[in-house]
Amino acid sequence: MLAAIVFYVFSAILVASAAMVIVARNPVHSVLFLILCFFNAAGLFVLMGAEFLAMILVVVYVGAVAVLFLFVVMMLDVDFVKLREGFARYLPVGAAVGLVLAAELVFVLAPWAFSASVPEAISMPIPDPGEIHNTKALGLVLYTDYAYLFQAAGLVLLVAMVGAIVLTLRDREGVKRQSIARQVARTRGEGVETVSVKSREGVDV
Amino acid sequence: MVESTYLSMALTGALILGQILLVTIPLLLAVAMLTYAERKVIGAIQLRKGPNVVGPFGLFQPFADALKLLTKETIVPTGANRIVFMMAPMLTLLLSLVAWAVIPFDAGWVIADINVGILYLFAISSLGVYGIIMAGWASNSKYAFLGAMRSAAQMVSYEVSIGFVIITVLLCVGSLNLSDIVNAQKNMWFFIPLFPMFVIFFVSALAETNRSPFDLPEGESEIVAGYFVEYSSMSFAMFFLGEYAAMILMSGMTAILFLGGWLPPFDIVPFNWIPGIVWFALKTALCLFVFLWVRATMPRYRYDQLMRLGWKIFLPFSLFWVVATAGVLMATGWIPR
């Protein structure tokens, strides 16, 4: 019973904060609600006994991705009035995308819920939670049977990362940048010049 | 029957509450003593006396400071986002307290002995950045905002190498549970075979807690006090408490991951008479002393140097060390099953 109460509390906050992400007027508040959302999803994972996924969700999404979101949203100079103007115009497109996503979810979930093989499907991927921790179970599958897919996913991320850097990296002239190798390689002969100065004449450097 | 279940539930609740108080109150006292120790240690290093007026040896100085802060007025600047402004210090303090739920103080002395303890700690410590970003943004002040931006970049950068250090330790343990990590060090504390990782972890811990030489988010010589310029009274005190509790937490983590947690240095007679919690406290205190020592010794890093150290030195080195450790463990068959 306690688990059910906790489940409903987490899900209610999850749905409410997901709604607030869209409704909130201030984009920074939206991101903060998104973080609350992630937290409750992690709570739901813990309830299902998937504590590894819960922690990874918090580490990756809340600890890294949402920080960057927040970073960007805070830096942007968003004009709220202008943002509201296009609302009616973009509504059909947004609604269409939403509908398509919902339909896809239904297509995925309906066979899952109604097919005859549901009991096996549910019990298939898990060894037995009592016998092996889910961290270990995930690792055993991920790094053996799905090693190539795992590597491919890593490659996709790498390409995305390189792409982002290529798009933004530019060499600017006249920037003073520290080059430690050059500093270390400098000798006394290059750095110091001894000049004997004649009295009352000064020196041109 | 029903009444007895309610009774047992109430008893369990009371027990958990008692455990939480048993951890939190000594922790807050330790924070008070740490601020005192910081001033005394730095005083000694700089040939000064440090606080010595309030109470014997100035021991009551932190309580006098706390009382003074309590009686001040809380000021919310105009143009500040009130709710986020007040939430930020609470979040900072909260995060530095909840992490203690999984810390084992002695064999079996832990509130929640969860399977993924070290991941939980990693997750909580990576959330610490939110208190700072929220404070910086909600203050509506450029100094605070600059401090918050620096801190966000810095903490995210050093988390990566902390993650790799944790992975290396996990490879040697074969479990994410903190008690298992300590028990795996029965024969040899991990700081001996993994010495470079120990150093990287400690330096990254300095950066993660925004301590000098990585205290750019505060950088008082450039941006006044960074993210908490606009805070006063108790809201300031909460940031302070949170920061120092995070320092103690990071020292505790160092003790657990590398210095054998509650284990005595040698399992022979005079050492194993002393209870484990004393060893744990001693090791944590040693790390904290190094925190203070570093603060009194090192100048502040420049921002580009900080980023270079994190991304160009620590990250490749720790990545290499993860691969090397895994290779050695596989080749020699020492890998724990």
Side-chain angles (χ1 to χ4, degrees), chain B residues 29 34 48 106 144 166 202 206 235 319:
Chain B
L29 273 178
L34 179 59
R48 293 183 286 111
D106 198 343
I166 289 177
F202 192 78
L206 288 177
S235 53
L319 189 58

Short mmCIF file of all heavy atoms in Angstrom, two decimals, chain B residues 29 34 48 106 144 166 202 206 235 319:
data_model
loop_
_atom_site.label_atom_id
_atom_site.label_comp_id
_atom_site.label_asym_id
_atom_site.label_seq_id
_atom_site.Cartn_x
_atom_site.Cartn_y
_atom_site.Cartn_z
N LEU B 29 27.70 20.24 14.02
CA LEU B 29 28.74 20.62 15.00
C LEU B 29 30.11 20.56 14.34
O LEU B 29 30.96 21.45 14.55
CB LEU B 29 28.72 19.66 16.18
CG LEU B 29 27.74 20.02 17.31
CD1 LEU B 29 27.79 18.97 18.39
CD2 LEU B 29 28.12 21.39 17.87
N LEU B 34 34.80 23.06 12.02
CA LEU B 34 35.66 23.19 10.84
C LEU B 34 35.93 24.67 10.55
O LEU B 34 37.07 25.03 10.22
CB LEU B 34 35.00 22.52 9.63
CG LEU B 34 35.79 22.62 8.33
CD1 LEU B 34 37.15 21.99 8.48
CD2 LEU B 34 35.03 21.94 7.20
N ARG B 48 49.76 33.90 13.00
CA ARG B 48 48.83 34.70 13.80
C ARG B 48 48.23 33.78 14.85
O ARG B 48 48.51 32.59 14.88
CB ARG B 48 47.70 35.24 12.91
CG ARG B 48 48.14 36.24 11.90
CD ARG B 48 46.94 36.78 11.13
NE ARG B 48 46.42 35.82 10.18
CZ ARG B 48 45.24 35.21 10.30
NH1 ARG B 48 44.48 35.45 11.35
NH2 ARG B 48 44.83 34.38 9.38
N ASP B 106 31.05 3.11 10.26
CA ASP B 106 31.73 1.96 10.84
C ASP B 106 31.09 0.75 10.19
O ASP B 106 30.13 0.90 9.44
CB ASP B 106 31.52 1.96 12.37
CG ASP B 106 32.55 1.08 13.06
OD1 ASP B 106 33.18 0.26 12.38
OD2 ASP B 106 32.70 1.22 14.28
N ALA B 144 27.14 38.12 -9.16
CA ALA B 144 26.59 36.81 -8.80
C ALA B 144 26.46 35.94 -10.04
O ALA B 144 26.79 34.75 -10.02
CB ALA B 144 25.24 36.99 -8.13
N ILE B 166 36.18 7.20 -9.84
CA ILE B 166 35.26 6.27 -9.19
C ILE B 166 35.21 4.96 -9.95
O ILE B 166 35.22 3.87 -9.36
CB ILE B 166 33.86 6.92 -9.07
CG1 ILE B 166 33.92 8.04 -8.03
CG2 ILE B 166 32.82 5.90 -8.67
CD1 ILE B 166 32.64 8.79 -7.87
N PHE B 202 41.48 13.98 -5.16
CA PHE B 202 41.54 15.02 -4.15
C PHE B 202 41.51 16.41 -4.79
O PHE B 202 40.80 17.30 -4.35
CB PHE B 202 42.78 14.86 -3.27
CG PHE B 202 42.73 15.73 -2.06
CD1 PHE B 202 41.95 15.37 -0.99
CD2 PHE B 202 43.41 16.93 -2.03
CE1 PHE B 202 41.85 16.18 0.11
CE2 PHE B 202 43.32 17.74 -0.93
CZ PHE B 202 42.54 17.37 0.15
N LEU B 206 38.65 19.40 -4.53
CA LEU B 206 38.84 20.83 -4.24
C LEU B 206 38.03 21.66 -5.23
O LEU B 206 37.39 22.65 -4.86
CB LEU B 206 40.32 21.20 -4.37
CG LEU B 206 41.27 20.74 -3.30
CD1 LEU B 206 42.68 21.15 -3.68
CD2 LEU B 206 40.92 21.33 -1.97
N SER B 235 20.25 33.23 5.12
CA SER B 235 20.38 32.65 3.79
C SER B 235 21.86 32.53 3.42
O SER B 235 22.27 31.56 2.80
CB SER B 235 19.61 33.46 2.76
OG SER B 235 19.97 34.81 2.82
N LEU B 319 41.36 8.76 -17.90
CA LEU B 319 40.83 7.81 -18.89
C LEU B 319 41.85 6.71 -19.17
O LEU B 319 41.54 5.51 -19.17
CB LEU B 319 40.49 8.56 -20.18
CG LEU B 319 39.73 7.79 -21.24
CD1 LEU B 319 38.42 7.29 -20.68
CD2 LEU B 319 39.46 8.69 -22.43
#
